[in-house]
Amino acid sequence: MGINVSRNADLASNEFLLRFVGRQHISHDDEAFWNGLLNYNIVMPENSQDQLSLDSRLETLCQSFIGNNLKTGNFGSLITVFLEKATELLSLSDQESNMHVWQTFNALFIIRTLIKYINETASEFQLLQHFEAMPSAELLKAAEEQQQQPEAATIAIEATEHAPLAAVIVDGAKFETFIDALVNLIVVIPVKEFTYHLHLESVNTLITLLAVHLFAQQQQPATDKSIVFRTIYKCQHANVLMSALLHFVARMVEVPHTMFGSSSAGSFVFGIAESLLSIFTFRKQQDVLKTSSATGGELSQQFRTHYPLANQSLLLILILTNHCTAQDNAYRTSLFGCADSKDSPKQGSGAVSFQIDFSAVYETLCRIVTIDQATLLLYLLLHRNERFYRFVMQQPDLEQLVIPILQTLYNAPDSNSHHIYMSLIVLLILSEDEGFNKNVHTILLKNISWYTERTISEISLGGILILIVIRTIQYNMLKMRDKYLHTNCLAALANMSGHFRSLHPYVAQRLVSLFETLARKHTRLDAQLKEPADSAVFVNVSTTPEDMMQDLSVLEEVLRMVLEILNSCLTNQLVYCPNLVYTLLYKRSVFEGFRSHHAFQDVIQNIDMVVGFFSSRLQRVQEQRGELGVNEVLEVISKGASQWSSDRLRKFPDLKFKYVEEDAPEEFFIPYVWTLVCKYGCVHFSSESIKSVTTDIAC
């Protein structure tokens, strides 16, 4: 078949590539040339170092391409060849299409490589010029003569070398046809072993095109004026594309161990190339994600290595849904309007964009939710897709989703601030549902090995959730000092507080200890502020009195919220929380300094009333029996709780907080999404050329 096995090292001297980037026009119907060019095998870059190595070997070829293509139009010829092969694929059987899949992939890989180079070194307008460039009349004539009189053709080519460059009309017509072809490959061709990499390359090409945003001198024109963005976002097939991408994520098909291999009889097999040069081998690893032991970063690498199509499809979903949010975004509407395939299309409110098995989406997200991009997709679905939110709330195994999120928060030092923030927002959105707040206390967990602060043989999901959120608040106080993080943590606890039940003794201790820790900090800050400005208290303190006043104000808001959380639990669930009452009795002194404080005294009155009621009962029992043990105290509390009436407490509004996305969310999400594309994606861009990723996570 004339297969050319190309090593990366041989690329610069490859005769077909040299002709393609040279000064000679190559017609799209020159079958001999295109068969020669596209019958190659190449090692795909697996990391940024691989990409850098490939880029360096292609640099000279790419420079020649840039210098000659606007005259030769060879890129346009390659696009036409790709379009023809992509169209033919739709009508071929599996056995007939193997060779076509291979050549279509190879054509697309060359196209993507050139798009990436132009993005990194030139402008979007120049990229589109290369798409639309047509050969000059002289080069067309020379190409026709090439087959008849090679020497005359060479003279003709040299004569036109210094001819003025004809103006390239950029109307985007060929580019739009190219986008339609990519979408057709993704949504029409079924994913099989020998088509897997063609799907992956199609998704990667769309990501590479959209990456024009990364290299724009200013971020705004990338979406408002970009022809690339306008063309992709006016695509008429947004629903089927979003459906295909989400299916790729949900199914999590593992990458085949050979790029186009197949064991079926009569198929096009590349076993010889694999055994001879190991060109196609992908490191064979365990067919599982080590979700139980891997950190978020490790799991991201495993996901990218084993399931690159799912990984890239997930990243493309995030790109498409987070750009262009201020205008009609068909991709965003599609994701938020999808429904469970098990439901009737008419079930629920609003139009249905497409149907997908929510169980598969849910199970996949449970497996990979500790990675940034999966947390972000979960957030979008829970926050914007009412049907998916209701589906999740009905799941009996919520711990499968919640525990990985808690592990992300528990391992906060290993996570970036954006991932911590999004994980907390997901918990806040979950806590908006009363059913969730009740159910988490009925799900019992045993021997949680990853929680190392204390050995706990059994605890409810609600209990461990409270522990992790409290720990996150304390971590934030020490490390991040983010007011919004505090707000979201406390809002989630507040939503849950009216449903706290059967709290583990350690959970009750941590709740009260949270107030105690904050109270000590408040007392210390207050004392410093009352000292004269030249007092020794301010020696070696870098913060100004104004900063400290602001810190004190924030601290008082947090203290007030913690008191309201305790009060909400006592008002609604006192009979079911004897361990909390026990801890309040034991730690009653922590409230001493705040009873007369105007910001806290109304709430503390309720807590004092509860403490006073049970304290008097314990005193009477002690007078009769003498010193009481822990179990005896809890017995007294339980009996007293049955006679307690919350009517005697001062009424406060129910604690109900709802997450509301801030104005201009794209200012947060777009840089975050592209950071994830650069950090965890399979397409590796030149970090020196990137102008628009501005988050605090290094690419």
Side-chain angles (χ1 to χ4, degrees):
M1 294 181 181
I3 300 171
N4 300 303
V5 180
S6 302
R7 301 174 187 271
N8 285 359
D10 301 333
L11 292 175
S13 58
N14 182 286
E15 61 172 304
F16 294 102
L17 285 175
L18 288 171
R19 278 185 63 195
F20 174 71
V21 303
R23 299 192 301 271
Q24 175 186 357
H25 169 66
I26 301 163
S27 173
H28 69 88
D29 55 8
D30 188 343
E31 292 188 11
F33 173 81
W34 296 114
N35 283 332
L37 176 67
L38 300 180
N39 286 3
Y40 71 88
N41 308 318
I42 192 167
V43 179
M44 298 292 290
E46 292 189 5
N47 52 51
S48 56
Q49 193 59 43
D50 288 350
Q51 185 67 56
L52 187 63
S53 175
L54 179 62
D55 289 348
S56 65
R57 291 187 172 95
L58 292 173
E59 178 71 24
T60 303
L61 290 170
C62 288
Q63 287 177 354
S64 296
F65 166 81
I66 293 291
N68 295 320
N69 182 69
L70 293 181
K71 293 180 181 178
T72 66
N74 286 342
F75 189 59
S77 295
L78 176 59
I79 295 291
T80 302
V81 170
F82 165 76
L83 294 174
E84 290 172 349
K85 291 187 177 297
T87 302
E88 290 169 5
L89 268 180
L90 303 178
S91 60
L92 296 176
S93 66
D94 282 3
Q95 292 187 10
E96 292 173 319
S97 64
N98 273 343
M99 171 67 88
H100 260 73
V101 168
W102 180 47
Q103 290 191 336
T104 307
F105 167 86
N106 284 345
L108 192 53
F109 179 76
I110 295 173
I111 291 168
R112 176 169 69 85
T113 300
L114 292 171
I115 291 171
K116 175 180 172 294
Y117 182 82
I118 298 169
N119 270 350
E120 292 175 346
T121 60
S123 67
E124 178 187 7
F125 181 73
Q126 289 170 298
L127 170 65
L128 294 168
Q129 277 188 312
H130 283 285
F131 261 92
E132 307 293 339
M134 298 290 290
S136 64
E138 292 87 349
L139 283 182
L140 279 173
K141 182 179 178 182
E144 292 172 1
E145 294 174 351
Q146 177 71 24
Q147 299 173 355
Q148 303 170 1
Q149 302 177 22
E151 293 180 3
T154 303
I155 294 170
I157 291 167
E158 291 175 350
T160 61
E161 182 179 355
H162 302 292
L165 186 65
V168 179
I169 300 173
V170 179
D171 61 1
K174 179 167 280 190
F175 179 71
E176 188 170 344
T177 306
F178 177 68
I179 296 298
D180 287 343
L182 287 179
V183 173
N184 275 328
L185 287 178
I186 292 170
V187 304
V188 178
I189 304 292
V191 178
K192 299 183 179 180
E193 185 176 359
F194 69 94
T195 67
Y196 186 98
H197 285 87
L198 180 58
H199 284 90
L200 177 59
E201 193 59 31
S202 299
V203 172
N204 283 344
T205 302
L206 282 174
I207 291 175
T208 304
L209 283 166
L210 289 162
V212 68
H213 167 81
L214 291 178
F215 305 99
Q217 291 293 336
Q218 296 178 340
Q219 295 185 31
Q220 198 63 29
T223 54
D224 287 359
K225 300 176 182 177
S226 165
I227 294 178
V228 170
F229 271 75
R230 283 211 307 268
T231 304
I232 292 175
Y233 276 81
K234 76 173 184 180
C235 175
Q236 300 300 309
H237 312 295
N239 283 345
V240 289
L241 178 56
M242 188 57 67
S243 173
L245 294 174
L246 193 56
H247 275 92
F248 292 165
V249 174
R251 290 169 183 160
M252 266 182 69
V253 178
E254 188 178 13
V255 64
H257 296 136
T258 58
M259 285 182 69
F260 300 98
S262 175
S263 58
S264 57
S267 293
F268 190 64
V269 182
F270 295 123
I272 295 175
E274 180 188 4
S275 60
L276 183 64
L277 295 170
S278 299
I279 289 295
F280 297 118
T281 52
F282 282 74
R283 290 187 298 274
K284 187 173 182 179
Q285 302 182 31
Q286 294 296 319
D287 185 20
V288 291
L289 291 178
K290 300 176 182 177
T291 53
S292 58
S293 59
T295 64
E298 291 168 346
L299 190 65
S300 294
Q301 299 302 329
Q302 292 174 22
F303 187 51
R304 177 171 66 184
T305 301
H306 293 291
Y307 307 96
L309 180 57
N311 183 63
Q312 296 303 99
S313 298
L314 174 48
L315 291 170
L316 182 54
I317 288 172
L318 296 179
I319 294 169
L320 291 171
T321 52
N322 283 289
H323 275 284
C324 304
T325 56
Q327 50 201 281
D328 289 337
N329 181 333
Y331 300 104
R332 193 171 174 87
T333 303
S334 180
L335 181 66
F336 300 161
C338 69
D340 191 359
S341 56
K342 296 184 177 68
D343 291 342
S344 165
K346 296 182 180 179
Q347 190 171 334
S349 59
V352 174
S353 54
F354 63 89
Q355 289 188 293
I356 188 170
D357 183 359
F358 276 177
S359 295
V361 176
Y362 173 77
E363 289 167 10
T364 295
L365 288 174
C366 287
R367 290 182 68 187
I368 63 172
V369 74
T370 52
I371 67 178
D372 287 74
Q373 54 266 46
T375 305
L376 200 45
L377 177 61
L378 176 63
Y379 158 77
L380 288 170
L381 288 170
L382 289 175
H383 182 46
R384 296 289 191 171
N385 190 314
E386 185 183 341
R387 296 183 186 93
F388 188 77
Y389 183 81
R390 288 200 306 266
F391 174 86
V392 170
M393 290 303 125
Q394 294 166 3
Q395 297 312 297
D397 60 345
L398 277 170
E399 71 276 11
Q400 298 297 321
L401 182 67
V402 174
I403 288 177
I405 296 172
L406 297 181
Q407 286 179 285
T408 296
L409 296 174
Y410 187 76
N411 297 315
D414 299 322
S415 303
N416 63 73
S417 59
H418 290 68
H419 196 194
I420 295 169
Y421 189 64
M422 294 312 304
S423 299
L424 278 171
I425 289 175
V426 167
L427 289 182
L428 174 56
I429 293 171
L430 293 174
S431 74
E432 292 170 12
D433 183 79
E434 290 193 5
F436 172 85
N437 295 331
K438 293 175 182 176
N439 291 338
V440 290
H441 292 289
T442 64
I443 299 172
L444 293 180
L445 310 171
K446 296 182 182 294
N447 301 317
I448 304 175
S449 59
W450 52 269
Y451 187 83
T452 57
E453 259 77 356
R454 176 169 172 158
T455 302
I456 302 175
S457 58
E458 184 176 271
I459 191 172
S460 69
L461 178 60
I464 193 68
L465 198 162
I466 295 167
L467 286 179
I468 299 303
V469 173
I470 289 172
R471 187 177 184 272
T472 304
I473 293 173
Q474 293 175 324
Y475 172 78
N476 184 47
M477 286 169 56
L478 290 173
K479 301 288 185 183
M480 297 169 66
R481 299 172 63 83
D482 184 337
K483 179 183 176 181
Y484 292 105
L485 204 71
H486 273 335
T487 302
N488 285 298
C489 286
L490 292 166
L493 287 179
N495 284 343
M496 297 173 63
S497 62
H499 302 280
F500 285 171
R501 282 197 171 206
S502 306
L503 295 181
H504 190 281
Y506 183 59
V507 176
Q509 291 169 28
R510 297 306 298 157
L511 271 170
V512 179
S513 292
L514 174 61
F515 179 85
E516 186 176 19
T517 303
L518 294 166
R520 281 200 299 266
K521 188 170 183 180
H522 181 276
T523 302
R524 187 169 60 252
L525 264 176
D526 194 40
Q528 288 178 349
L529 283 165
K530 288 176 181 176
E531 292 289 336
D534 58 351
S535 169
V537 175
F538 285 103
V539 174
N540 297 325
V541 177
S542 59
T543 53
T544 65
E546 290 75 18
D547 291 334
M548 295 173 70
M549 278 296 296
Q550 187 175 359
D551 286 349
L552 190 68
S553 176
V554 171
L555 201 52
E556 288 180 355
E557 290 177 19
V558 174
L559 278 165
R560 170 78 189 191
M561 182 68 84
V562 174
L563 288 171
E564 288 190 4
I565 289 167
L566 293 171
N567 177 68
S568 174
C569 178
L570 295 175
T571 301
N572 297 286
Q573 300 291 335
L574 184 145
V575 68
Y576 302 108
C577 295
N579 286 318
L580 180 59
V581 175
Y582 180 96
T583 305
L584 289 171
L585 287 166
Y586 185 73
K587 289 279 193 178
R588 70 184 79 179
S589 61
V590 301
F591 305 105
E592 286 289 344
F594 297 90
R595 286 191 174 90
S596 59
H597 195 292
H598 66 91
F600 312 120
Q601 56 187 9
D602 55 344
V603 190
I604 290 182
Q605 283 176 4
N606 276 0
I607 295 173
D608 277 346
M609 193 172 292
V610 172
V611 170
F613 174 82
F614 286 96
S615 182
S616 62
R617 292 183 69 87
L618 281 170
Q619 191 172 356
R620 289 199 299 271
V621 174
Q622 281 178 327
E623 289 172 356
Q624 296 170 4
R625 301 188 199 171
E627 198 67 32
L628 301 177
V630 173
N631 291 333
E632 291 171 308
V633 171
L634 288 171
E635 182 183 348
V636 172
I637 291 172
S638 296
K639 287 182 179 178
S642 63
Q643 299 170 17
W644 165 263
S645 173
S646 61
D647 292 341
R648 64 184 75 185
L649 296 178
R650 179 174 177 174
K651 302 301 180 188
F652 289 88
D654 289 340
L655 297 179
K656 289 186 182 295
F657 292 87
K658 188 174 180 64
Y659 170 73
V660 177
E661 204 167 68
E662 292 186 15
D663 294 335
E666 63 276 4
E667 293 179 8
F668 171 86
F669 287 110
I670 290 175
Y672 182 31
V673 167
W674 280 108
T675 298
L676 299 180
V677 172
C678 294
K679 190 173 184 180
Y680 298 123
C682 302
V683 181
H684 307 282
F685 299 104
S686 168
S687 58
E688 295 177 359
S689 304
I690 292 174
K691 298 180 176 66
S692 298
V693 170
T694 56
T695 61
D696 60 349
I697 315 163
C699 287

